[in-house]
Amino acid sequence: MTTNREYTLRLKVNGDAYESRIDPRMNLADYLREELGLTATHVGCEHGVCGICNVLVDGRAVRSCLMLAAQAEGREVRTVEGLAEGGKLHPIQEAFIEEHGLQCGFCTGGFMMAVCELLENNASPSEEEIKDVVGGQICRCTGYNAIMRAAHNAAAKMGAGGSSAAE
Amino acid sequence: MAIEIPKNLSELPTRQTRFVGRGIRRVEDAALLTGRVEFVDDVVLPRMLHCAILRSPFAHARITRVDTSAAEALEGVVAVVTGEDAKRWSFPAQSSPDGWGIHCIAGEKVHYVGEPVAAVAASNRRVAEDAAELIEVDYEPLDVVADPFVAMQSDSPRVLDDQDSNVMMDRIFTWGDVDGAFAAAPHVFNEKFRWNRLGANPTETFGCISEWDPMELNLTIHGSIQSPGMFGLGRAASFGLPSNKVNIISHPHGGSFGGKGGTRGCDISCLLSRKAGGRPVKWIEDRGEYLLSGGSQAWDRHYDVSLAVDADGVVTGLKVGLVDDLGATGEAYGAISAAKPLAAFTGPYTIPVAQYDLKLVATHKLPCGPYRGMGPPPHFFVLEQMMDIAARALGEDPAEFRRKNFIAPDAFPYTIPSGNEYDSGNYPEVLDQALALADYPALRAAQAEARAEGRLVGIGVASAIEPGVFDWNAYAIVGMPGTGVPEGATVSIDIVGMATVRVGFSLEGQGQYTLVSQLVADYFGYEPESVRVVHVDTQSAPPSFGPGGSRLGVAITGAVLGACERIREKMCRVVAVLMQTEPENIELMDGKFCLKGAPGAEMTVAEVAGTMLGRSDLLPPDIDPRPEATHVWTAPGRTPADEEGRAKSYLTAAQAVHVVQVEIDRDTGMVEIQRYCLADDCGTRLNPDTVEGQTEGSVVQGIGAALLEEYVYDADAQPLCTSFMDYLMPTVFDVPEIEKVAVVTPSPFTPLGAKGCGEGAIHTTPAAIMCAINDALSPLGTSAREVPAAPARLWKLIREANGGG
């Protein structure tokens, strides 16, 4: 089977509307990276375990390696590129810097999108609720404790009115 | 002119260091967090093709036919390569030991599951994978050997046809009168151990884009490459190119931990680019490929260890027998991991004599490569179990037994039997700090109560050395020649006084660019964010090895400070001319060049740089007008190895003590880590926050090693762990709070007294956890001798100890 751009996909990514002719078998991660050039979504395992490729689809964190791009038809997708606005880092990004929640930074986008989903739906999550989200992700550098601190820090920042959740 | 590198923080040209020695915001982070860092898979080049590799399903088979015609006919396919192309256009991989390398694509035979047999370059990855599936290969399966003890027998199937046996190396290294020590010892302990295969698994796999220039015969490679200089030399050797024809552009990468091998896949993409007329070919290893056949696997070891102890409980001799299953070839340098323990063979102890019976054996498994720590972590696992076995038999507390055998603080520099010299340390203090942090007596009291309730609670106390600032001479016994590993940096100050530092390595996660900016900021009075640190390709970079062997923090500090010193000297001469005095009357302090004894007579770094570049006509002709300098740092005082492998190799010796409490569930064999405390001494901490980050991450990799991670093969050498569902990476649920305390004994030999600390805790963590597990099991009269201590293994031990089976 060769490339067959027989599917017309319409969706919104980070607020912008797109219409693309794509191969129906293309997954969402590849679509974002290859077709839109949104390369902040990284791919770690391509079998849904590591969570590095998380994006938000209609506000829910999904593994973009496991979702066909065509399944995002008519949906709103948010990626890491959609976090910082107007040259200003998102509170989650600030929190990761302050707590040294990243080392190589390859997996961090997936953690941030997962934490973003949590904090936009739960302004004051418990330790267990945060752990449940962080526990769905793999990081090889940090050992996770710094990421837990970053998530708590982000919760405090967003709870204190720094949130972009109100949009 | 000899350049003096500051040996401690007070020698920096500032009244008070503002950045070095402190944790600061990392300069790398904003770009990483917003996705603006360019990882190699983000790179798109004009006319770029995508590679997919077809791999062997057999561990050992003859290839009788390869038919690529259907693949070549598929729309979008531009080039297909097979073993014939590899044979025609490339050389077998270099290896350690020498002579154990094979071509990057199999020719007549495959030697392990996952070995490439053909590859495709096509318009996109999906088409390339479709085409790879259309390639027809006929195999004639051959007998397989998956067990190194079988492989050593003369009638075993042979892995490489041109070798007489599967034994890559079989040598006994003896340092001192080992037989005498064991004959005289009232107590001799002997035990066997097994450390199963595990590996690095960085979150980003290997990837590259290779571009073969068919006219000029240049090779340009973009990649997620840990050691670009070495990688370039290797590719030059693969293709018989002069080294200056190969340019490596290393991109920031998603971790490595030694496991970013990728040379085989890279060479295949080079062959495809050549066959495609020079079009760039991207190969991004997927996770399945990484787990099956990437730079993913290390340390497949069988140990037989003996310890001699005198009547006072002093250890008087150590014998380590190691059968190391390196897999099918020596191409991935797994042998180095067996050699590196020489740098710290006897750990933190005064053990005066030692012996290493080392057998490197080939089997039909994936060739072993490096992993964080590069070999000592399993060595310390066995040494520390032996220390506990001895302490338990002699009725001594494991902490005090270790203290009695520690090298004393006033004994440094201290030469160990295997030849390396430890720079400095205060091991009793580190032990005291760790025990105090854990409240060791209270832990023991709580353990006694838990035991009374029948619970399997154990406490492990373990200590290990982290050799830092590697040198090739440490690996002389497995055929790595040479002494000295250069690291360079170029510091440039522009016409308005802003500083840029060019280095030869890309971002990997350790925060090295932050460290560079801290150093230059304190040296010349900048803010760290204003110092630009850029990576340049191997054609333009100063000599560089990059991260590896816990060396870069120390080495880049030497290089950057050396370059700063050179600029300072040059600028002092310029200022002296302008102020009509001698250079020795000029002093740099807090970013200003001052005339000594004349307050107010001063020039800023920017003013001096502006004068040098804008008014070079004012300078005497013998002054180089560029406010720029390159310095190349190498570790001082290293020595070539002698016949028995003894050398001054790794420059620094960091030390740690970990105290761990675990509880084992009797019914399931699951281990819960209930306390994790550690004290460590890696000399001056140039950035305590990033050191702590390295420590935390390394503890968790150590937890994975001790409890979770294992590449399982079946008896036919079929790998059974090819996804993250089978290869268990630690998650946050496996991680306890890690309580830490720092002891600082500066190194007398290094820039600012820092010691290598990047590999860190994994040297100690598996040992400490296994000590705790065995302490928990001791009331049952059983012990765990195999890593990882997975629930099924412990459950079986507990069941057998209880009379089940």
Side-chain angles (χ1 to χ4, degrees), chain A residues 17-73:
Chain A
Y18 293 92
E19 179 176 322
S20 309
R21 293 285 294 174
I22 60 163
D23 189 336
R25 63 174 170 165
M26 181 175 248
N27 69 37
L28 182 57
D30 288 350
Y31 172 72
L32 294 168
R33 292 179 51 81
E34 294 176 23
E35 299 293 319
L36 304 187
L38 295 173
T39 53
T41 298
H42 300 151
V43 177
C45 75
E46 294 182 82
H47 56 275
V49 179
C50 74
I52 290 169
C53 66
N54 281 349
V55 299
L56 301 188
V57 176
D58 290 343
R60 298 301 308 271
V62 302
R63 310 299 210 215
S64 61
C65 73
L66 291 187
M67 185 171 181
L68 291 171
Q71 289 174 287
E73 173 73 38

Side-chain angles (χ1 to χ4, degrees), chain A residues 1-3 25-26 30 33-34 39 42 44 46-47 80 93-94 97 100 103-104 112 140-141 144-145, chain B residues 26 33 41-42 75 124 126 130 199-200 286-287 371 508-509 689 693-694 696-697 701 709 724 730 736:
Chain A
M1 184 159 68
T2 56
T3 302
R25 63 174 170 165
M26 181 175 248
D30 288 350
R33 292 179 51 81
E34 294 176 23
T39 53
H42 300 151
E46 294 182 82
H47 56 275
V80 170
Q93 291 166 321
E94 277 292 344
I97 294 179
H100 293 286
Q103 289 182 25
C104 79
M112 290 195 297
R140 192 57 155 171
C141 296
Y144 302 104
N145 285 330
Chain B
R26 301 201 320 169
L33 287 165
D41 195 22
D42 305 342
E75 187 186 334
N124 66 51
R126 288 166 289 277
D130 291 342
D286 70 28
R287 183 62 59 181
Y371 179 36
E508 192 174 276
D689 286 359
Q694 293 299 113
E696 290 245 348
Q701 290 185 353
E709 298 180 37
F724 279 156

Side-chain angles (χ1 to χ4, degrees), chain B residues 379-532:
Chain B
H379 182 85
F380 291 131
F381 152 60
V382 301
L383 177 56
E384 289 299 279
Q385 302 320 297
M386 293 308 294
M387 293 297 282
D388 268 8
I389 286 167
R392 196 169 290 124
L394 301 175
E396 297 200 27
D397 178 85
E400 297 313 308
F401 185 67
R402 284 170 172 80
R403 185 194 304 278
K404 181 165 31 179
N405 283 285
F406 273 157
I407 298 164
D410 60 2
F412 295 95
Y414 185 91
T415 301
I416 60 171
S418 51
N420 197 24
E421 181 187 70
Y422 294 172
D423 53 344
S424 68
N426 189 343
Y427 304 169
E429 172 68 11
V430 172
L431 178 64
D432 283 338
Q433 293 281 349
L435 296 177
L437 181 65
D439 195 353
Y440 185 62
L443 279 190
R444 285 291 178 199
Q447 180 191 31
E449 284 178 27
R451 277 187 175 163
E453 296 165 11
R455 290 159 56 200
L456 299 179
V457 171
I459 298 161
V461 179
S463 181
I465 298 295
E466 176 187 6
V469 192
F470 93 89
D471 213 301
W472 294 115
N473 57 9
Y475 321 132
I477 62 166
V478 293
M480 300 301 289
T483 300
V485 186
E487 193 66 40
T490 301
V491 179
S492 307
I493 299 174
D494 69 17
I495 198 164
V496 293
M498 302 307 288
T500 300
V501 185
R502 292 195 291 280
V503 297
F505 56 90
S506 54
L507 286 182
E508 192 174 276
Q510 303 94 329
Q512 311 289 15
Y513 290 16
T514 298
L515 171 59
V516 169
S517 73
Q518 288 174 281
L519 292 163
V520 176
D522 266 336
Y523 198 96
F524 285 120
Y526 297 109
E527 298 301 311
E529 313 83 65
S530 76
V531 177
R532 191 100 199 269

